[in-house]
Amino acid sequence: MSETTEFEPVIGLEIHVQLKTVTKMFCGCELSFGDPPNTHVCPTCLGLPGALPVVNARAIDYAIRIGLALGSEIAPRSIFHRKNYFYPDSPKAYQISQYDVPLCTGGSLGGVRIHRVHVEEDAAKLTHIGESGRIHGSDRSVVDFNRCGTPLVEIVTEPDIRSAAQAHEFLTLLRVTLRQLGVSDVNMDEGSLRADANVSIRRAGSHALGTKTELKNMNSFRFLRRGVEAEIERQAALVQAGEPVVQETLHFDPASSSLTSLRSKEEAHDYRYFPEPDLVPLLATPEMIAAASAAIPELPAARAQRFESELGLAAERARLLAFRGELADYYEAALAAAPAGEAGAGPVELANWIPQLVERIGPDTDPATTRVSPAALAALAAMVSARTVSRDAAREVLTLLVAEGGSPAELVAREGLGALSDEDGDGLTALVDAALAADPDAAAKVAAGNMKAIAPLVGHVMRETRGRADGGEVTRLIRERLAGR
Ligand SMILES: [Zn+2]
């Protein structure tokens, strides 16, 4: 990346979101993925002469929800346009989309400004089949019109993104926000979330925009990130060699990490946009906006903010939980199940146990589906806070809980993992004395006030007790025993 540091990447994203409606955007055909090809079609979505489109009210409701969640302004009156092009995936030879008056304008998400959000219809699915089964070098293509006319929302950001990593972060937040809204499956593998990236570079410190290229159809966040990184490097190499960046549409091949040109970039006027004569203007009434607004749940960014301000979590921990809704749900269930008042672990301590749990169940598992109940995790955290079990021993208990479920108190009793304290008799004091005797050099240093020397002494006791002693209690005892010297 060294050659790119003198350049600043400027990245904007265009994200297509398939809406999870029952029927298509302009006809009554059912949306049904995985059914045999061309079984959900009608004269309207096949573009037969005389068939007329009717707007899907649910799709508009979902689009308004997205606009409101992004802080966009909802246009009281917007219109549909025809975007004309010929391709076998578009039987009408145009796509109904929105052009100069979109449904939603402006807004922001995670510090990235939103340019616009508009409604349109998806094209059919083309599959290229070659003798070898390869996509390239194919000798025939087949079309499945089941997807044709699926409601889409296109979200266009301003060019506010400055790195491939930031693009990845933005998409992650957008996906979890859309999922929370309940408007889409947001599954990149199945194509219900697709992202294109506009990439240009400029000399660091410059405010002018360079020529941009468009990276098309990245079907995973990881590929998008790698594709953008490769394109930044490619443009930097061109500029350094004194060659121009050509405005074009590119395809990133993740297997070879190579970028190939699909076509020189078309201009908006090439599509001969004109107002759709078969549809009246779309009027978003105050009642429609109020209904969409009422359907919006607490969104991840707001939830992270609440975890921070009301529960005192660190910003990073709050985002880690809130940006994965199932972790936040589990955490809140554990909070609700926690012993009240002094007996509970407190929200910050309890939150510390979620990553411990994720480490044991794997990053893609919803903790609610595991054997560890939220109440059990809350009880374990409370035992650590009350020092009836040491932190090390509690980690062991958590591993047992993941494997077999049950109650942490019973597991602690069964495995003999309860914390040792001086109340158990002279056990812990005797172990501390043994540690001091075993390392008189460290003991002398601690006695002289050098507290850095205490670590090996505490470590000695921990080893002897297999982690069952409470570190704080051991430290206190060491100081107490040395105070008289
Ligand atoms: Zn249809």
Side-chain angles (χ1 to χ4, degrees):
M1 289 298 283
S2 60
E3 75 269 30
T4 61
T5 48
E6 65 180 284
F7 297 107
E8 178 183 56
V10 177
I11 302 160
L13 296 174
E14 292 175 15
I15 303 105
H16 285 93
V17 185
Q18 275 184 0
L19 299 180
K20 201 169 60 178
T21 51
V22 177
T23 55
K24 293 186 181 180
M25 186 66 222
F26 299 112
C27 65
C29 290
E30 202 186 323
L31 285 178
S32 187
F33 301 101
D35 279 1
N38 300 309
T39 51
H40 298 283
V41 293
C42 74
T44 300
C45 56
L46 288 176
L48 301 187
L52 292 171
V54 177
V55 173
N56 181 332
R58 176 63 59 83
I60 300 304
D61 176 47
Y62 284 1
I64 294 175
R65 283 192 211 178
I66 293 172
L68 291 175
L70 298 175
S72 307
E73 208 163 297
I74 312 299
R77 179 183 181 279
S78 62
I79 51 176
F80 287 101
H81 270 69
R82 287 186 181 181
K83 180 181 184 181
N84 297 278
Y85 71 97
F86 171 76
Y87 206 62
D89 64 4
S90 171
K92 300 195 297 286
Y94 60 83
Q95 176 194 30
I96 304 179
S97 182
Q98 294 193 299
Y99 183 49
D100 53 354
V101 194
L103 180 59
C104 318
T105 312
S108 72
L109 181 72
V112 174
R113 288 171 302 152
I114 304 297
H115 177 58
R116 60 185 277 161
V117 178
H118 68 253
V119 187
E120 60 188 28
E121 59 178 334
D122 207 348
K125 188 177 177 204
L126 268 181
T127 307
H128 308 286
I129 304 168
E131 295 289 351
S132 61
R134 285 181 304 125
I135 301 277
H136 297 291
S138 58
D139 55 7
R140 64 199 171 99
S141 298
V142 291
V143 194
D144 176 7
F145 288 98
N146 284 356
R147 199 182 74 181
C148 194
T150 298
L152 290 183
V153 153
E154 180 173 342
I155 300 167
V156 183
T157 77
E158 296 289 354
D160 284 352
I161 297 168
R162 294 290 172 267
S163 68
Q166 196 195 348
H168 186 273
E169 202 174 288
F170 172 83
L171 282 172
T172 305
L173 176 57
L174 179 66
R175 180 167 62 173
V176 70
T177 300
L178 293 168
R179 183 180 287 144
Q180 204 93 337
L181 284 171
V183 297
S184 172
D185 290 329
V186 290
N187 189 331
M188 281 194 110
D189 296 338
E190 290 166 11
S192 56
L193 186 69
R194 313 195 286 267
D196 303 336
N198 290 304
V199 180
S200 66
I201 56 168
R202 61 187 174 197
R203 298 250 172 220
S206 161
H207 292 288
L209 288 171
T211 303
K212 67 181 176 187
T213 56
E214 184 172 15
L215 285 173
K216 273 285 191 199
N217 293 327
M218 252 112 19
N219 61 359
S220 86
F221 285 5
R222 205 157 46 85
F223 292 166
L224 180 126
R225 187 174 173 156
R226 284 176 50 204
V228 169
E229 274 167 2
E231 177 55 9
I232 291 167
E233 301 236 344
R234 190 189 70 90
Q235 290 189 15
L238 279 175
V239 172
Q240 275 176 332
E243 288 173 37
V245 174
V246 177
Q247 184 167 339
E248 60 188 336
T249 301
L250 299 165
H251 168 78
F252 174 67
D253 176 19
S256 62
S257 287
S258 64
L259 293 148
T260 47
S261 180
L262 291 177
R263 55 178 186 266
S264 64
K265 177 72 181 159
E266 64 286 343
E267 301 283 343
H269 62 247
D270 295 332
Y271 287 116
R272 298 183 297 115
Y273 278 98
F274 65 86
E276 166 61 66
D278 290 340
L279 288 170
V280 294
L282 177 63
L283 304 182
T285 64
E287 291 74 25
M288 287 162 70
I289 293 170
S293 176
I296 296 178
E298 184 184 37
L299 297 170
R303 200 174 198 184
Q305 185 57 48
R306 177 167 62 82
F307 285 173
E308 237 186 291
S309 61
E310 288 180 19
L311 302 177
L313 303 196
E316 199 180 331
R317 175 62 46 83
R319 279 202 299 273
L320 178 98
L321 297 180
F323 290 7
R324 271 192 61 195
E326 69 277 18
L327 292 187
D329 290 346
Y330 185 90
Y331 171 62
E332 296 210 80
L335 268 183
E342 291 289 298
V348 175
E349 171 65 17
L350 189 50
N352 290 336
W353 286 93
I354 304 285
Q356 291 284 334
L357 179 58
V358 170
E359 204 173 278
R360 285 163 177 77
I361 62 177
D364 299 321
T365 305
D366 178 352
T369 65
T370 67
R371 292 169 189 263
V372 188
S373 71
L377 190 75
L380 183 62
M383 288 170 81
V384 174
S385 287
R387 301 194 164 183
T388 53
V389 61
S390 75
R391 199 166 286 277
D392 284 344
R395 292 199 179 102
E396 230 173 285
V397 174
L398 185 57
T399 304
L400 291 170
L401 278 172
V402 169
E404 52 189 279
S407 119
E410 280 167 21
L411 288 172
V412 165
R414 190 188 81 193
E415 301 291 324
L417 288 167
L420 289 176
S421 76
D422 217 31
E423 285 152 28
D424 294 334
D426 293 330
L428 197 54
T429 308
L431 285 168
V432 166
D433 286 342
L436 296 176
D439 194 346
D441 192 35
K445 282 184 184 159
V446 175
N450 177 3
M451 290 311 290
K452 279 184 192 146
I454 205 168
L457 298 171
V458 175
H460 183 103
V461 176
M462 290 311 216
R463 263 193 315 280
E464 292 296 313
T465 62
R466 291 188 302 123
R468 287 169 60 209
D470 178 83
E473 177 66 6
V474 172
T475 303
R476 191 189 67 74
L477 276 173
I478 291 171
R479 299 174 90 157
E480 187 183 279
R481 301 301 281 178
L482 290 174
R485 292 196 184 175

